């Protein structure tokens, strides 16, 4: 079945540091890929998405490129801020698996220190 | 557009009691999903509705769980004879069939604690 593996956390960085959170996936078809973010006390929010190979999703300074050859969708940001502290989830959706459900990774907790 | 809402936000119940949660999706969204999230894990799919039809249920959804979406608008998730293992955050999400169905919008969740 489909699965998503994320880099284990927690990750702690200083403000303005470069961020990479690794995400790899296993899927039988050609899934859509997503990053969701969960800020403290809030619900999951869609951060960015990519629907086919080589697509780059971007939002709020974050980027991720759909790499079919390495089955990866790593999240990057050039200069993080304290307000980026949150839990980040990589997810995939594959219509061949029936319902358009999302399959999530376990999440990576990110803390940015001033 | 007020987003996805869920009620209650927190529920504490004793083992063996029944609980019911409500989800109100974004009004124009015809697809509605329930997920369960335990501490330190990502959300896991429970069930999915397209309009009022329940089209898929996960194996995680035991016979004690039932979900409805009677008029294709709000949905309820009921857990009968709760067990301590049911303690989790229950998330509802909705999406539009005319856009990427995986672009799901989540509510704040209902945190269930079974004592």
């Amino acid at each position: 079945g489909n699965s998503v593996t994320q880099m284990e956390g927690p990750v702690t960085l200083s403000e303005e540091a470069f961020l990479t959170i690794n995400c790899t996936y296993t899927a039988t078809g050609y899934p859509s890929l997503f990053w969701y973010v969960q800020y403290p006390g809030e619900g999951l929010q869609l951060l960015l998405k990519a629907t086919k190979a080589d697509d780059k999703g971007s939002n709020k300074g974050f980027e991720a490129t759909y790499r079919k050859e390495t089955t990866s969708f790593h999240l990057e940001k050039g200069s993080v801020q304290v307000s980026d502290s949150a839990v980040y989830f990589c997810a995939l959706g594959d219509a061949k698996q029936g319902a358009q459900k999302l399959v999530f990774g376990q999440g990576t907790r990110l803390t940015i220190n001033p | 557009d007020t987003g996805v809402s869920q009620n209650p936000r927190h529920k504490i119940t004793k083992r063996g009691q029944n609980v019911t949660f409500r989800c109100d999706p974004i009004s124009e969204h015809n697809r509605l999903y329930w997920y369960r999230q335990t501490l330190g894990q990502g959300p896991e799919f429970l069930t999915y509705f397209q309009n009022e039809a329940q089209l898929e249920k996960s194996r995680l959804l035991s016979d004690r769980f039932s979900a409805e979406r009677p008029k294709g608008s709000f949905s309820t998730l009921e857990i009968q004879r709760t067990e301590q293992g049911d303690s989790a955050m229950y998330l509802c999400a909705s999406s539009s069939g005319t856009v990427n169905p995986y672009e799901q919008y989540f509510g704040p969740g209902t945190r269930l604690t079974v004592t």
Side-chain angles (χ1 to χ4, degrees):
Chain A
N2 294 346
S3 66
V4 175
T5 302
Q6 278 182 245
M7 158 181 183
E8 289 208 15
V11 174
T12 303
L13 296 172
S14 297
E15 205 165 21
E16 298 183 3
F18 184 86
L19 168 71
T20 300
I21 300 179
N22 290 339
C23 171
T24 57
Y25 67 89
T26 301
T28 53
Y30 300 94
S32 295
L33 300 174
F34 302 85
W35 278 99
Y36 278 80
V37 58
Q38 191 168 34
Y39 297 105
E42 298 185 17
L44 279 164
Q45 299 176 24
L46 177 63
L47 180 60
L48 54 83
K49 66 181 180 185
T51 57
K52 61 182 187 298
D54 300 326
D55 268 2
K56 178 185 283 188
S58 60
N59 186 25
K60 299 182 180 180
F62 291 90
E63 293 183 340
T65 301
Y66 188 141
R67 300 286 188 201
K68 187 179 169 205
E69 63 276 12
T70 53
T71 61
S72 65
F73 193 55
H74 304 320
L75 183 68
E76 297 182 335
K77 186 173 185 181
S79 176
V80 292
Q81 306 299 313
V82 172
S83 57
D84 294 327
S85 298
V87 182
Y88 292 80
F89 293 92
C90 185
L92 69 81
D94 187 349
K96 288 188 178 180
Q97 295 299 306
Q100 286 89 2
K101 61 188 176 190
L102 290 168
V103 175
F104 287 86
Q106 78 273 27
T108 302
R109 181 174 298 278
L110 174 66
T111 301
I112 307 300
N113 293 322
Chain B
D1 179 1
T2 56
V4 179
S5 61
Q6 292 186 246
N7 287 288
R9 295 290 304 275
H10 303 274
K11 179 70 177 178
I12 300 173
T13 191
K14 292 185 178 179
R15 190 173 48 142
Q17 298 295 303
N18 299 342
V19 294
T20 300
F21 310 140
R22 176 176 170 129
C23 170
D24 287 88
I26 293 171
S27 56
E28 62 268 27
H29 286 180
N30 64 341
R31 298 168 191 228
L32 186 148
Y33 311 79
W34 285 98
Y35 292 83
R36 181 170 69 186
Q37 184 179 18
T38 53
L39 202 61
Q41 300 298 314
E44 294 175 292
F45 171 78
L46 293 179
T47 191
Y48 153 66
F49 290 85
Q50 185 166 322
N51 299 312
E52 67 275 10
Q54 187 174 18
L55 297 185
E56 184 163 334
K57 294 195 293 186
S58 163
R59 288 172 297 175
L60 292 175
L61 217 63
S62 75
D63 291 344
R64 297 184 297 105
F65 288 70
S66 62
E68 294 183 342
R69 193 181 183 199
K71 295 183 180 179
S73 56
F74 73 91
S75 175
T76 58
L77 177 67
E78 181 183 15
I79 309 175
Q80 296 183 327
R81 305 182 302 282
T82 52
E83 300 172 356
Q84 287 190 323
D86 297 331
S87 296
M89 178 76 86
Y90 290 84
L91 300 172
C92 176
S94 68
S95 71
S96 167
T98 57
V99 185
N100 187 329
Y102 304 108
E103 195 166 327
Q104 297 176 15
Y105 294 83
F106 283 79
T110 295
R111 181 170 296 284
L112 173 67
T113 302
V114 181
T115 61

